[in-house]
Amino acid sequence: MKAVNITQPCPTWLEVGRLQDIPRQGARVVSFEGENIAVFRTTDDEVFALRDRCPHKGGPLSQGIVHGRRVACPLHDWKIHLDTGLAVAPDQGCVARFSVRVDGDMVYVQSPSSVDGD
Amino acid sequence: MNKEHLIVIGNGMAGMRTVEELLKLDADLYQISVFGAEPHGNYNRILLSPVLAGEKTIDQIMLNDEQWYSDHAISLYKGQKIVGVDRMRRRVWTDEGISANYDRLLFATGSDPIILPLPGSDLPGVIGFRDIQDVDRMLEATKHLRHAVVIGGGLLGLEAANGLLQQGMSVTVIHLMDCLMERQLDATAATMLKSSLEARGVQFSMAAQTESIRGDRRVEKVCLKDGTEIPADLVVMAVGIRPNIALAKHVGLHCERGIVVNDTLQTFDPRIYAVGECVQHRGKTYGLVAPLFEMAKVCANHLARIGCNRYQGSLISTKLKVTGIDLFSAGDFLGGNAAEELVYQDAGLGIYRKVVLRENRIAGAVMYGDTMDGSWYFQLMRTATDVSDLRENLLFGQAHNLGDSGHGPEQRIAAMADDAEICGCNGVCKGAIVSTIIDKKLFTLDDVRAHTKASSSCGSCTALVEALLASTLGGDYSQATDRKPLCACTPYTHDEVRATIREHQLKSIPAVTQFLEWSTPDGCNKCRPALNYYLVCAWPGEYADDYQSRFINERAHANIQKDGTYSVVPRIWGGETTPTQLRMLAEIAEKYQVPTLHITGGQRIDMLGVRKEMLPKVWGDLAEAGFVSGHAYGKAIRTVKTCVGSQWCRFGTQDSTAMGIQLEKMTWGAWTPHKFKLGVSGCPRNCAEATIKDFGVVAVESGWELHVGGNGGVKVRSTDFLCRVATSAEVLEYCAAFLQLYREEAHYLERTAPWIERVGLSYTKQRIVDDQQGRQQLAARFRDAQRYAQVDPWAERAAGMHAHEFMPIRPQKVSANAVPVAAGE
Ligand code: SRM
Ligand SMILES: Cc1cc2nc3c(=O)[nH]c(=O)nc-3n(C[C@H](O)[C@H](O)[C@H](O)COP(=O)(O)OP(=O)(O)OC[C@H]3O[C@@H](n4cnc5c(N)ncnc54)[C@H](O)[C@@H]3O)c2cc1C
Ligand code: SF4
Ligand code: FES
């Protein structure tokens, strides 16, 4: 009756903090078990989380300028879609993204150990 | 919901460019159908000439094949001519009886070649030069026929003549005037062109009027008014084009020479737009692609309902696509009537240039033989730059004027090897650029930048990339418009945006973007830093800096490095230090285990490899030791480089070190459009390299020489001499005034060197040297702004400002069921 997928580990969630801890049009670095996650907040208070490594040469995306649902990597100006993790054409590449939940003003991000790598 | 239906009449260059631009803006808005009379996908009509000359194949000039249409869910009806439009019922139908309803209709019907109504012009063997079919017929003719006659010695006629000649025919060009291409060339250039075509074998009948074309079943000869008869198996009529407005007229759209449109490319029927050669805009029709592409951009903007872009007409330039003949023409090249002409001619080398000036601005230019600088003249012309200061060397070209550390004119673009590196920043070679232009069908500099990265960084190779575009595409290509928008979010220019900020007292980024109807919700990483700067400059002390609109270096007040760590460069006033200072720096470096110390090119010490979260601590210690930020990260005052001067040096005439320190104390902390560097040398030996600084001071016996607009970076430019002053108080005043003028009038990311070239040294002199009162006002405004700017950003942050910027979050792990499930999942 109920299909249970036993190969998929149960996701673990990280409590990142309050929404207002993340600057609008900005990001915070969430550091967890040696891995950096960039948690972005857009003008419209949408929150997205990506691995903090640009698909180009590993630049810290958390340090980029957030505009619309995009971030511009600070090292060589690739633009990355926050919602898909894909590079904006014509650049090609993809960065891992993590699920985000916002409850009231608390922000949760799915832990990296529970999602597949890039 | 059903999408609105957009129907495009005409599958040519302007129509499809509009569709491409529209897809970029909003791919989902319309269901699109395209009707094209020609039985092909969309191809690059310009390149028919190289196809005729056997240098390219039809496959190579296709822009969008049928796959492209289906990929974008566009219905393509090729070989279908629209013959009727019912504007009441919003319906079109074709000659084969297919019909469709539209919500919006786009006319892009191009032009028809003019076929002179001569006796015999309807004989088989008489054709125009417009489409693939014409080229096919000409190529077919070259296989078994010998004599070709081209009527018309304009751009198109000469390209046809050259192509037919390359294919082995004997070719005679009949031209009504006694000068070839009289609409683009003056007599000298036309004569040079004619002799080089003659040398290739083209024959000419000049000042000749065709009376009739004769033949039995097909053309056999062309007869001129003076009785001459020229044998002809093929006659190409290239006497001009006429906007194709038959259909538009027939359905009652207002037409004059072309379909009349307003600045949004809308016809008199608001549901119907028109672009391309069929259009008449502000009384003008166009026959080159660059303006058509500009129209396409604006039209797409309105079709996408963004509605914030206007087409205001174009200036055009022309080149001839005959391999081995370089020819450039733009604007009013004939001169006369209060115009001045600068002429350079070397008959031996086959080089001719003429630049026509009106009131010290370029009104037009003709070039023959060497056209590398054509785009430079055209740029100066479009920006209406005062060229008085360049005048002496204007004819020698850009390289001569700007100084050149890299790409000299001797680097002939065509002769360069495929593996020659064009863009040093991104390591892109000629071959890669050329093949990308061809494979991805690129037309503009921006496209090439996006796809290859070439010229997207420092931009010093821009001219080379433009030359590659021109040589690859053969003919004209779309250049940036004369009014370059600040970024893709807005049609307004830097100057317009700045003026609006002041006039309408706009005091925040959202206020500006809303007032000027930005097309994006919150701008992009190009416009936001620019707007932030413009607001900082316009409202000192009042505007609250938007640090999220600053590049990371300025947000974190340190330079990001390739590994994500930062560098810290404290200010060392005038480059002079003390043992105590050095000892303190050493101690701080050791305490925080700074991996690298480097003596910079700006006479200070760079501490490299500091992790971001440590920055406030390092700064705190530095502040305690008396250091302030060196702004090595900012579009701001960087360094004041000095030499030891009269304190020690046996040649020193003034105390250059003290002067430098005073300058640095006055200027530090100011935000500027681009970085700003100063230098003070104690004598003309100039050990502080003051003549490659944005503001350079060289001491002489009688006082100080002031120099401006130098640059030691990508493109070395030595300064222009501004004036000489006697006292150090004057040095400070002139410096403050110059800085303020630059701050108020340069575009964001425009360094003083290109800025001065744009506005002209004379203008700068007039504002800073001649106008004493103006100078004092500028200096006062600068000093006023400095009251708010000279706050050490490091000390503020060491004390806790923007702490979140520097501290990573260390999260709590929580179990899955503790996390509320978002709605819908
Ligand atoms: C540190 C330093 C090299 C060194 O170790 O000596 C340096 C380092 C950088 N320079 Fe420089 N430049 C340094 C002196 C210079 C000089 C020499 C000078 O100032 O006398 C020049 C040529 C002079 C000039 O600017 O006209 C110079 C011309 C450039 C340019 C080209 C600017 C131009 O207009 O052409 C860039 C690129 C840019 O700004 O867009 C650049 C950009 C950079 C950047 C910011 C590149 C970047 O974006 O990361 C480097 C930052 C490294 C860092 O984190 O510190 N750097 N750079 C020097 C710092 C001087 C200081 O004390 O502040
Ligand atoms: C040989 C040659 C060389 C050129 N060289 C240069 C150059 O070097 N530089 C430059 O800038 N420009 C050049 N041009 C001009 C340039 O090609 C034109 O300006 C450009 O193609 C015009 O674009 P358009 O979309 O307005 O018209 P077109 O490209 O002609 O497209 C119009 C299309 O509409 C179709 N059509 C018309 N009526 C109907 C209808 N009722 N129903 C369906 N379809 C219809 C036509 O068949 C045609 O395919 C050259 C042109 C030629 C012919
Ligand atoms: S410090 Fe300057 S010259 Fe050296 S690599 Fe960086 S940008 Fe290039
Ligand atoms: S590392 Fe991000 S653009 Fe190069």
Side-chain angles (χ1 to χ4, degrees):
Chain A
M1 287 293 281
K2 249 195 260 169
V4 179
N5 187 350
I6 40 166
T7 56
Q8 185 140 23
C10 191
T12 333
W13 291 83
L14 304 177
E15 184 184 301
V16 167
R18 291 168 315 154
L19 185 62
Q20 54 267 40
D21 294 338
I22 309 167
R24 272 212 183 105
Q25 292 181 310
R28 289 295 298 273
V29 180
V30 172
S31 196
F32 181 74
E33 291 177 352
E35 168 93 71
N36 280 353
I37 307 172
V39 182
F40 301 91
R41 175 175 170 198
T42 67
T43 330
D44 302 332
D45 286 345
E46 291 183 300
V47 180
F48 298 98
L50 301 177
R51 174 164 292 153
D52 198 12
R53 285 179 54 78
C54 175
H56 178 222
K57 292 192 176 171
L61 296 174
S62 55
Q63 312 296 299
I65 292 184
V66 176
H67 53 288
R69 282 183 166 188
R70 293 175 179 191
V71 62
C73 175
L75 292 198
H76 317 97
D77 202 29
W78 279 32
K79 320 278 187 302
I80 310 292
H81 290 286
L82 296 177
D83 47 354
T84 60
L86 289 170
V88 174
D91 292 322
Q92 289 178 345
C94 178
V95 55
R97 67 202 153 97
F98 306 99
S99 305
V100 174
R101 296 264 163 85
V102 182
D103 176 41
D105 71 344
M106 288 306 287
V107 178
Y108 304 87
V109 170
Q110 199 173 344
S111 126
S113 46
S114 63
V115 294
D116 297 336
D118 4 12
Chain B
M1 200 187 80
N2 268 342
K3 288 186 193 174
E4 292 208 331
H5 193 193
L6 170 67
I7 292 184
V8 184
I9 312 180
N11 191 20
M13 299 191 72
M16 289 313 98
R17 178 47 82 103
T18 311
V19 171
E20 287 175 16
E21 296 279 358
L22 175 62
L23 293 175
K24 268 196 249 166
L25 294 172
D26 192 337
D28 297 321
L29 194 57
Y30 292 100
Q31 180 202 334
I32 303 176
S33 303
V34 175
F35 289 83
E38 291 184 70
H40 309 279
N42 167 235
Y43 62 93
N44 188 343
R45 194 173 303 283
I46 313 185
L47 295 186
L48 287 176
S49 302
V51 170
L52 180 62
E55 292 162 4
K56 288 208 160 65
T57 64
I58 294 286
D59 283 346
Q60 285 174 330
I61 70 165
M62 292 313 292
L63 290 173
N64 292 311
D65 54 16
E66 289 176 37
Q67 187 62 40
W68 178 85
Y69 290 89
S70 56
D71 286 351
H72 292 87
I74 299 171
S75 317
L76 170 64
Y77 299 87
K78 51 180 193 173
Q80 295 278 346
K81 186 169 177 179
I82 302 266
V83 291
V85 180
D86 180 342
R87 287 165 47 203
M88 290 295 289
R89 299 198 173 73
R90 303 211 307 267
R91 198 168 178 71
V92 300
W93 59 92
T94 73
D95 49 353
E96 292 184 12
I98 299 180
S99 70
N101 282 322
Y102 64 84
D103 296 292
R104 306 254 177 151
L105 184 63
L106 177 63
F107 270 80
T109 48
S111 342
D112 292 323
I114 296 177
I115 300 291
L116 298 172
L118 299 170
S121 64
D122 51 353
L123 280 172
V126 181
I127 57 177
F129 183 17
R130 181 70 193 174
D131 54 25
I132 290 185
Q133 197 190 354
D134 296 330
V135 172
D136 281 346
R137 282 201 234 158
M138 285 193 239
L139 288 176
E140 187 53 38
T142 61
K143 287 191 195 143
H144 51 273
L145 301 174
R146 292 224 13 243
H147 301 290
V149 168
V150 176
I151 305 181
L155 206 66
L156 218 55
L158 296 180
E159 291 186 4
N162 177 63
L164 293 168
L165 190 79
Q166 299 298 318
Q167 299 291 350
M169 293 189 88
S170 88
V171 182
T172 307
V173 174
I174 301 174
H175 193 50
L176 194 60
M177 308 288 168
D178 54 5
C179 265
L180 291 176
M181 291 179 62
E182 70 284 350
R183 300 238 298 280
Q184 289 91 14
L185 300 184
D186 65 353
T188 314
T191 310
M192 293 174 86
L193 171 64
K194 181 161 168 267
S195 30
S196 54
L197 286 169
E198 273 167 347
R200 292 173 174 222
V202 180
Q203 298 165 51
F204 289 93
S205 235
M206 301 299 285
Q209 208 171 340
T210 313
E211 189 183 57
S212 63
I213 301 172
R214 298 203 192 148
D216 245 356
R217 256 166 302 145
R218 57 173 291 126
V219 47
E220 285 165 18
K221 61 187 174 193
V222 174
C223 305
L224 304 182
K225 277 254 160 74
D226 67 3
T228 317
E229 296 190 352
I230 306 170
D233 305 315
L234 174 74
V235 174
V236 179
M237 288 245 196
V239 292
I241 53 171
R242 186 183 290 129
N244 179 357
I245 55 172
L247 176 66
K249 248 187 167 154
H250 176 68
V251 305
L253 282 181
H254 178 56
C255 297
E256 288 170 10
R257 272 181 306 134
I259 306 172
V260 177
V261 293
N262 63 16
D263 285 2
T264 66
L265 284 314
Q266 204 170 30
T267 66
F268 275 60
D269 178 338
R271 295 246 173 207
I272 305 182
Y273 288 76
V275 291
E277 286 184 345
C278 60
V279 153
Q280 176 178 333
H281 171 262
R282 298 194 186 178
K284 271 170 118 179
T285 58
Y286 293 96
L288 292 169
V289 293
L292 310 188
F293 287 175
E294 289 171 26
M295 290 179 195
K297 214 177 187 128
V298 176
C299 184
N301 181 292
H302 288 274
L303 285 172
R305 306 212 187 97
I306 295 169
C308 67
N309 211 341
R310 291 198 307 144
Y311 176 68
Q312 312 192 341
S314 308
L315 278 174
I316 51 177
S317 65
T318 327
K319 293 176 187 142
L320 182 72
K321 301 190 301 298
V322 171
T323 307
I325 297 184
D326 288 320
L327 180 65
F328 171 89
S329 153
D332 161 20
F333 56 88
L334 285 176
N337 208 357
E340 293 177 273
E341 293 172 20
L342 310 183
V343 178
Y344 172 87
Q345 187 170 12
D346 185 331
L349 287 179
I351 292 177
Y352 172 70
R353 319 186 143 183
K354 175 162 98 179
V355 176
V356 176
L357 301 182
R358 278 184 206 281
E359 290 169 2
N360 294 322
R361 287 171 172 78
I362 297 185
V366 190
M367 305 170 78
Y368 187 86
D370 175 0
T371 54
M372 276 291 258
D373 287 304
S375 54
W376 183 52
Y377 293 141
F378 194 44
Q379 180 66 27
L380 292 171
M381 181 173 139
R382 283 182 303 185
T383 50
T385 302
D386 184 333
V387 294
S388 338
D389 312 310
L390 304 174
R391 206 177 148 135
E392 248 175 278
N393 291 318
L394 195 63
L395 288 172
F396 300 113
Q398 186 173 24
H400 194 94
N401 279 279
L402 299 190
D404 203 315
S405 63
H407 315 291
E410 67 283 356
Q411 258 171 311
R412 310 308 309 177
I413 199 86
M416 279 166 81
D418 272 355
D419 59 359
E421 190 171 79
I422 300 282
C423 172
C425 296
N426 297 293
V428 192
C429 300
K430 176 185 165 189
I433 299 176
V434 171
S435 59
T436 313
I437 293 174
I438 294 170
D439 295 348
K440 306 269 184 210
K441 337 268 188 210
L442 308 182
F443 279 102
T444 66
L445 184 62
D446 284 345
D447 291 342
V448 177
R449 285 181 175 154
H451 284 269
T452 66
K453 298 284 173 213
S455 145
S456 64
S457 300
C458 75
S460 71
C461 58
T462 301
L464 288 177
V465 174
E466 285 186 325
L468 276 179
L469 260 168
S471 74
T472 309
L473 295 179
D476 209 341
Y477 60 96
S478 160
Q479 291 170 314
T481 51
D482 44 343
R483 14 176 356 274
K484 213 176 193 146
L486 195 152
C487 72
C489 305
T490 174
Y492 297 107
T493 61
H494 284 269
D495 291 331
E496 288 165 346
V497 171
R498 285 197 99 161
T500 313
I501 289 176
R502 282 190 304 267
E503 260 165 48
H504 295 271
Q505 305 263 320
L506 304 175
K507 298 196 175 167
S508 70
I509 294 179
V512 180
T513 56
Q514 275 154 31
F515 188 86
L516 289 174
E517 299 179 341
W518 243 238
S519 64
T520 45
D522 62 346
C524 69
N525 65 323
K526 297 280 172 297
C527 58
R528 289 225 315 268
L531 293 180
N532 190 54
Y533 167 72
Y534 290 152
L535 290 159
V536 165
C537 179
W539 317 116
E542 205 180 335
Y543 171 65
D545 199 287
D546 175 16
Y547 73 104
Q548 291 301 357
S549 294
R550 287 187 179 270
F551 182 64
I552 179 60
N553 287 358
E554 292 186 359
R555 200 180 331 133
H557 292 276
N559 289 72
I560 194 165
Q561 304 294 316
K562 58 192 283 187
D563 62 354
T565 64
Y566 288 78
S567 73
V568 172
V569 190
R571 216 166 265 289
I572 308 268
W573 305 101
E576 192 168 82
T577 181
T578 61
T580 323
Q581 262 195 342
L582 289 173
R583 198 173 298 117
M584 287 189 293
L585 281 180
E587 275 167 13
I588 295 168
E590 273 178 345
K591 175 170 167 195
Y592 294 98
Q593 297 176 355
V594 172
T596 300
L597 291 187
H598 189 263
I599 310 277
T600 72
Q603 293 188 336
R604 29 204 210 169
I605 293 172
D606 195 354
M607 311 165 92
L608 293 132
V610 181
R611 277 183 299 123
K612 194 176 180 190
E613 61 251 50
M614 297 308 289
L615 286 172
K617 292 213 173 80
V618 175
W619 293 339
D621 286 9
L622 285 169
E624 213 164 288
F627 290 99
V628 300
S629 164
H631 292 86
Y633 47 80
K635 307 297 169 224
I637 302 294
R638 294 284 178 91
T639 67
V640 184
K641 212 163 154 168
T642 70
C643 70
V644 290
S646 60
Q647 260 186 101
W648 293 98
C649 178
R650 65 202 162 105
F651 296 114
T653 60
Q654 312 275 352
D655 189 346
S656 49
T657 320
M659 185 73 250
I661 294 174
Q662 276 188 68
L663 279 169
E664 192 161 3
K665 295 253 161 154
M666 174 181 82
T667 57
W668 78 277
W671 295 109
T672 41
H674 202 309
K675 59 190 177 189
F676 193 101
K677 299 177 176 181
L678 302 89
V680 187
S681 288
C683 84
R685 286 167 193 75
N686 193 15
C687 298
E689 297 164 342
T691 47
I692 50 164
K693 296 291 175 245
D694 298 275
F695 189 82
V697 182
V698 177
V700 289
E701 278 302 335
S702 58
W704 309 89
E705 283 180 350
L706 307 183
H707 301 261
V708 293
N711 192 321
V714 180
K715 186 132 194 155
V716 180
R717 179 184 198 271
S718 58
T719 42
D720 292 312
F721 174 66
L722 186 71
C723 64
R724 179 181 296 188
V725 296
T727 66
S728 50
E730 284 169 298
V731 174
L732 293 172
E733 178 177 308
Y734 281 70
C735 175
F738 177 74
L739 251 167
Q740 189 64 10
L741 186 67
Y742 170 61
R743 278 166 41 90
E744 289 177 4
E745 297 191 359
H747 299 165
Y748 189 64
L749 294 190
E750 184 178 40
R751 245 184 116 172
T752 57
W755 171 63
I756 285 215
E757 269 157 21
R758 181 165 64 82
V759 300
L761 174 67
S762 308
Y763 170 76
T764 320
K765 274 190 172 159
Q766 177 241 313
R767 296 285 305 267
I768 306 293
V769 185
D770 306 343
D771 177 0
Q772 186 196 342
Q773 203 188 349
R775 173 178 70 243
Q776 285 164 353
Q777 286 164 352
L778 280 166
R781 285 207 291 284
F782 180 74
R783 291 200 154 104
D784 181 56
Q786 285 298 81
R787 291 195 292 137
Y788 309 98
Q790 290 192 325
V791 179
D792 181 24
W794 287 357
E796 283 184 314
R797 280 157 191 78
M801 185 171 176
H802 294 165
H804 63 81
E805 174 74 43
F806 301 95
M807 281 318 292
I809 294 175
R810 305 210 188 271
Q812 297 283 315
K813 204 164 173 169
V814 290
S815 81
N817 39 18
V819 177
V821 176
E825 277 192 40

